[in-house]
Amino acid sequence: MTGEPWKTLQQRWRNHGAQMLGVALVATLVAWACERTGWLKGVEHVAYDRALRAYTGGRGLSSNVVVVAIDQPTLTGISQDVQLRTNFGNWPYTRTLWARIVEELKAAGARAVLFDAVMDEQASDESTDLGFAQVLRETDLPFYVGMVANGTANPLPRADFQVPVPLAAPEAAPPSPEDTFPEDAPEEFEDGPETATPSLPLEALARALAFPARRTDDGQPLPLLQYWSNKEKRWLPRHPVLPTPALVGAVDGFGLVDTEADADGVMRGTRFVYSDGINTYATLPVRLVADLLGAKEVTLSGRALHLGERTWAVNADGSAALDFGGPLHERYPLVSLLVVLNDWLLRSEGKPVRLPADTFRGKVVVIGGTTPGINDIKATPFSSTEPGLAKQAAVVDTLLSGEFITRLPHGMELGITFLVALLSAVLLMTVRSTPLEVGWTLGLPVGLYVVAGVFLKTSHTHLLTAMPALAGMGASVAALAFNHLVANRETEFIRQTFHRFMEPKLVEQMIRSRQLPRLDGENKEISAFFSDIRGFSTFSEHFKEDPRQLVRILNTYLTTVSEALLREGGCLDKYIGDAVVCLFGAPMDQADHAVRACRGALAAKAAVEVLRVDFRQKGFPDVYTRIGVNSAVNFVGNFGSDQLFSYTAIGDGMNLAARLEGANKAYGSVIMIGPRTYELAKDHIEVRELDRVRVAGKTEAVTVYELLALKGQLPPELRRTVERYHEALALYRQARFADAVAVLEAEVARAPEDGPTGKLLERCREYLESPPVDFDGVANLEK
């Protein structure tokens, strides 16, 4: 943006920059306070969830993770099959079933298994636990089980990670049941061992459940396992619930499977490690992937998570949002648990399995419930009825080959919020456009939503929407209020400024239509009117002994001229002694400003003719008036000093209008108009082309005209005189001065009172006596 509009914006910034900064700062602080107190969380969650679905969904199936679903067909199929129900029971199934699943997944080439459930209760038949543990050791398939923490569990001692994970039972175990299932129930699953599983010391359990984790910076501490006690009115620690002892040392690791939902119950993010104040514990997906990557500990450093040689960006507090990529059924291959069990049966009988050979090969298998009957239905941004294992699958998939979604540092979020508020304030308080005010206020949240979505898609960054939107809209409302206040002040100022220079009804019309002038200036095309009394110095000498009479006469004259101009919608610019300056087309926009100026000039001329008759009768000097009218683009606004200023116009167009008024003397005309005025008003006026002139300081010649009457009102006698004048003017431009003189002399004899005819005749006679050098038919219009 260049030119005067840019200067106007700069001036408004200089005048109101402090207010703009103040509005932006206050709006930012209010939005920040609302965000910190949680008032915006609901709005932010809605915006984030929609952006996540719109910009990150539909990614397709993962190549890293397969879900084995405990679905409704599984529950129904096992409950209705007598043999399966006899061996595995109804939900929750015996550990024997999981042993069979592990065997099948191992045979199918699974990379590791994440069991999204806990095994913290011993089976009524302890042999099932021992049998399951034995299968885990024999298959050597990495198998990871969930654990929970609560406030009633006893704390474990500090884990010594230099000591190996303990074995819960001897390596030897009762024989495998493969040869007897499914027709006969396994003996060890029926009668149980002769001796119970030996108990483990607490130090050994601590070593089995805990996992090394630390921060390597001075950032926030690891999150605590804790809960709020209404009884004690404080946060109390939670500790892990111990798993079935038989599984300790048989499974490859335990991890926390807390829901980690937000306050509205929706799972959006996760943390990776927790502490109960004594030991550190990894979440189940982290525990699994740590082993796959050969990591011995979880390290958080600044905004980075480290597992072995791998690093992921996370938030400063060690959390991250999950990149679900879509609903569970669109992101991961789903295989019914019953299908896997049937494949085990087929494989044990030497028959071909039904699942494709690459279903599980090299992939992490997540086992969990997907039916409401399992009571593990949670909400995610993609669905309000999503299985809880969706979070575990998303974390595993991201740790293997993806990125988490993180927020910007809080300082940057505040900075962006301030910039949005400042942009809103500056834009609305400088441009002051009603369409912009409405469009910006309504479009700002939508724009921020789109930008946030693009950030999610391209950089996995959660750009806050609610806080910047609130700040921006708050700043916008404040800016609108400021603009309204300024507009009211400007309206009153305009009313006071222009009511003496324009007809009051036009001033009110200008205010009602909101066509308020830009008092700080603007470029616009207007028509300027200049008038002056011939020989005013001689006029005023008649009253040097009675100056009060001069003032009364001059006031009468100025009132007469002004009233004629005001009736045509003119704005009186100034009086300079006897001279009158009037603007048409400013401050109120007038598409027909040239026509109005011409009508005003003719009306002023007619009114002055009546006044001249009255003055002659009273013995007053003559007030013969010359008028110049010109249309051009001028700079219009308030000009002056701190002590005195007025609304006026400046520019070459104003200068030419003044020159035209003075040039009437050389041409014997009363009203002279410029070429642009003629171009705009020619369909409404009658004119005489006077000459082509060159203004002092300019090289280009312009055609000037004498304004004679409104269209169709020119008397026949004057029309004939104009035609003879044009005939002579054409001869004059051809330097045929003698021929021109002949035409003009004949017309002067017929109409001796026509000033332009006489003046052109004088010039032609002069050129006959003294021929001009390099004559081009253009007269020089001197200052």
Side-chain angles (χ1 to χ4, degrees):
M1 185 186 299
T2 58
E4 298 305 329
W6 175 242
K7 291 180 180 178
T8 299
L9 297 183
Q10 287 180 314
Q11 184 177 14
R12 287 180 177 175
W13 167 253
R14 287 193 298 269
N15 293 341
H16 304 300
Q19 291 92 328
M20 296 174 189
L21 287 171
V23 165
L25 182 59
V26 171
T28 300
L29 291 176
V30 171
W32 174 78
C34 292
E35 196 273 337
R36 298 297 290 178
T37 55
W39 290 359
L40 295 180
K41 281 188 177 179
V43 178
E44 183 62 41
H45 285 162
V46 170
Y48 172 77
D49 292 350
R50 289 181 177 176
L52 202 69
R53 293 193 295 269
Y55 288 88
T56 69
R59 193 174 305 148
L61 292 176
S62 167
S63 60
N64 301 311
V65 177
V66 177
V67 172
V68 171
I70 309 172
D71 52 11
Q72 191 58 48
T74 297
L75 299 181
T76 303
I78 293 179
S79 66
Q80 293 179 353
D81 187 294
V82 176
Q83 186 64 50
L84 294 179
R85 188 174 66 251
T86 300
N87 286 281
F88 306 130
N90 290 318
W91 176 260
Y93 304 120
T94 67
R95 307 282 157 77
T96 308
L97 181 141
W98 304 119
R100 306 288 80 82
I101 297 299
V102 167
E103 289 172 343
E104 177 56 27
L105 293 176
K106 175 64 178 180
R111 185 180 182 186
V113 177
L114 183 149
F115 188 78
D116 185 30
V118 298
M119 293 184 177
D120 53 13
E121 294 184 1
Q122 287 185 314
S124 57
D125 184 353
E126 196 172 355
S127 66
T128 60
D129 291 339
L130 293 173
F132 181 37
Q134 180 177 336
V135 169
L136 289 174
R137 292 190 182 93
E138 290 176 349
T139 58
D140 197 29
L141 175 64
F143 193 90
Y144 298 83
V145 178
M147 65 178 177
V148 296
N150 62 41
T152 61
N154 295 322
L156 294 171
R158 187 174 300 278
D160 182 358
F161 294 110
Q162 303 303 318
V163 177
V165 176
L167 295 175
E171 292 289 343
S176 170
E178 291 183 6
D179 296 334
T180 60
F181 184 83
E183 294 180 359
D184 299 313
E187 295 179 0
E188 69 274 25
F189 289 16
E190 293 176 350
D191 300 327
E194 295 182 358
T195 59
T197 303
S199 61
L200 293 171
L202 292 177
E203 292 79 2
L205 289 172
R207 174 64 186 91
L209 301 183
F211 192 78
R214 62 190 177 96
R215 291 202 71 109
T216 61
D217 55 11
D218 296 328
Q220 300 185 35
L222 296 177
L224 294 175
L225 290 169
Q226 56 185 2
Y227 71 100
W228 177 256
S229 172
N230 289 323
K231 180 178 180 181
E232 300 192 28
K233 303 300 180 184
R234 63 189 180 98
W235 291 97
L236 297 177
R238 292 186 295 133
H239 303 287
V241 176
L242 300 181
T244 301
L247 299 182
V248 177
V251 300
D252 291 81
F254 296 89
L256 294 168
V257 289
D258 289 349
T259 302
E260 297 183 304
D262 290 328
D264 59 356
V266 179
M267 297 186 300
R268 296 183 180 89
T270 185
R271 294 178 183 269
F272 307 96
V273 289
Y274 286 86
S275 172
D276 64 354
I278 303 172
N279 293 307
T280 55
Y281 304 93
T283 60
L284 185 56
V286 172
R287 184 67 187 84
L288 181 150
V289 176
D291 282 355
L292 295 182
L293 299 179
K296 301 302 181 183
E297 69 174 356
V298 178
T299 304
L300 289 166
S301 177
R303 295 173 59 85
L305 166 70
H306 304 278
L307 284 179
E309 300 297 323
R310 292 285 302 279
T311 300
W312 298 263
V314 296
N315 296 320
D317 63 356
S319 67
L322 300 179
D323 183 18
F324 289 98
L328 181 72
H329 66 277
E330 295 180 4
R331 282 289 292 129
Y332 306 102
L334 297 179
V335 180
S336 174
L337 180 69
L338 183 61
V339 173
V340 179
L341 184 59
N342 287 332
D343 270 10
W344 175 83
L345 289 170
L346 293 171
R347 194 184 299 274
S348 66
E349 296 171 358
K351 298 178 182 179
V353 297
R354 295 178 180 176
L355 289 172
D358 61 348
T359 301
F360 300 111
R361 184 176 297 125
K363 299 177 182 178
V364 174
V365 179
V366 176
I367 301 177
T370 61
T371 179
I374 306 299
N375 295 323
D376 189 31
I377 300 301
K378 303 294 189 294
T380 72
F382 286 89
S383 173
S384 60
T385 56
E386 197 81 304
L389 62 84
K391 186 192 77 170
Q392 315 297 359
V395 176
V396 171
D397 193 41
T398 303
L399 288 172
L400 291 177
S401 63
E403 296 178 65
F404 292 101
I405 296 172
T406 60
R407 284 175 53 168
L408 293 173
H410 194 60
M412 292 184 65
E413 292 178 338
L414 275 177
I416 291 173
T417 301
F418 177 75
L419 287 177
V420 171
L422 182 61
L423 177 62
S424 301
V426 170
L427 194 63
L428 299 185
M429 292 170 68
T430 53
V431 178
R432 298 182 191 173
S433 164
T434 300
L436 177 64
E437 291 172 350
V438 175
W440 179 265
T441 305
L442 297 179
L444 180 61
V446 177
L448 287 172
Y449 166 79
V450 173
V451 172
V454 172
F455 266 74
L456 277 175
K457 185 177 183 64
T458 59
S459 65
H460 285 77
T461 300
H462 173 194
L463 186 67
L464 288 186
T465 301
M467 185 168 70
L470 178 61
M473 295 181 70
S476 299
V477 171
L480 294 180
F482 177 86
N483 290 349
H484 183 71
L485 178 63
V486 170
N488 286 343
R489 289 179 177 175
E490 289 183 349
T491 298
E492 187 58 31
F493 177 78
I494 288 169
R495 182 179 283 113
Q496 294 176 0
T497 299
F498 292 104
H499 82 280
R500 292 175 299 165
F501 311 130
M502 297 176 63
E503 284 219 345
K505 64 180 182 180
L506 289 180
V507 176
E508 295 304 321
Q509 178 184 344
M510 181 172 62
I511 293 173
R512 285 195 306 270
S513 62
R514 304 303 298 169
Q515 295 184 27
L516 302 183
R518 289 167 56 175
L519 301 179
D520 48 359
E522 61 182 323
N523 274 320
K524 64 186 307 184
E525 186 177 55
I526 63 170
S527 293
F529 170 100
F530 277 76
S531 70
D532 202 358
I533 297 176
R534 177 182 60 186
F536 181 70
S537 297
T538 304
F539 180 96
S540 60
E541 286 181 1
H542 288 80
F543 299 94
K544 62 182 178 180
E545 301 298 332
D546 188 6
R548 287 189 177 85
Q549 180 69 359
L550 175 62
V551 170
R552 286 193 291 270
I553 292 175
L554 190 58
N555 287 346
T556 301
Y557 167 79
L558 294 176
T559 299
T560 299
V561 174
S562 299
E563 287 178 348
L565 298 174
L566 290 175
R567 282 194 296 270
E568 296 300 331
C571 173
L572 295 175
D573 183 346
K574 62 177 71 71
Y575 300 127
I576 310 173
D578 63 311
V580 178
V581 182
C582 186
L583 308 179
F584 292 85
M588 185 175 180
D589 291 338
Q590 295 168 328
D592 59 343
H593 55 84
V595 177
R596 288 173 178 269
C598 291
R599 287 204 304 258
L602 291 170
K605 176 187 175 184
V608 169
E609 289 298 325
V610 174
L611 189 63
R612 291 176 67 192
V613 173
D614 182 57
F615 277 13
R616 280 196 299 270
Q617 293 174 354
K618 293 178 180 179
F620 295 155
D622 192 15
V623 288
Y624 181 86
T625 300
R626 299 189 181 101
I627 298 170
V629 177
N630 187 53
S631 303
V633 175
N634 293 281
F635 190 71
V636 187
N638 269 332
F639 297 88
S641 64
D642 291 341
Q643 292 75 30
L644 179 65
F645 62 90
S646 65
Y647 186 83
T648 187
I650 59 174
D652 288 342
M654 297 293 290
N655 296 335
L656 182 56
R659 301 273 183 84
L660 295 178
E661 180 274 319
N664 282 294
K665 179 179 180 181
Y667 287 90
S669 54
V670 177
I671 306 174
M672 189 180 294
I673 65 175
R676 178 61 177 165
T677 304
Y678 172 71
E679 179 184 350
L680 293 174
K682 62 184 178 181
D683 294 334
H684 304 272
I685 57 176
E686 302 282 358
V687 299
R688 177 195 337 229
E689 181 181 341
L690 288 174
D691 202 355
R692 298 186 72 244
V693 301
R694 187 180 293 110
V695 180
K698 303 290 184 180
T699 59
E700 183 180 357
V702 297
T703 302
V704 295
Y705 304 85
E706 180 187 18
L707 177 63
L708 300 173
L710 294 177
K711 198 71 172 178
Q713 297 181 13
L714 190 65
E717 298 81 5
L718 184 55
R719 186 178 298 280
R720 183 178 185 280
T721 299
V722 170
E723 291 172 353
R724 297 287 82 78
Y725 182 91
H726 286 161
E727 180 183 348
L729 183 63
L731 295 170
Y732 163 79
R733 288 174 176 169
Q734 298 172 23
R736 295 168 56 185
F737 303 121
D739 295 338
V741 167
V743 173
L744 292 170
E745 286 179 341
E747 189 58 30
V748 167
R750 194 188 67 82
E753 75 285 353
D754 188 63
T757 299
K759 290 294 183 179
L760 183 58
L761 177 60
E762 291 178 8
R763 206 183 327 162
C764 289
R765 286 172 175 171
E766 178 183 345
Y767 286 165
L768 278 175
E769 296 177 3
S770 302
V773 179
D774 296 329
F775 179 74
D776 60 359
V778 177
N780 291 319
L781 192 61
E782 303 297 337
K783 294 183 179 180

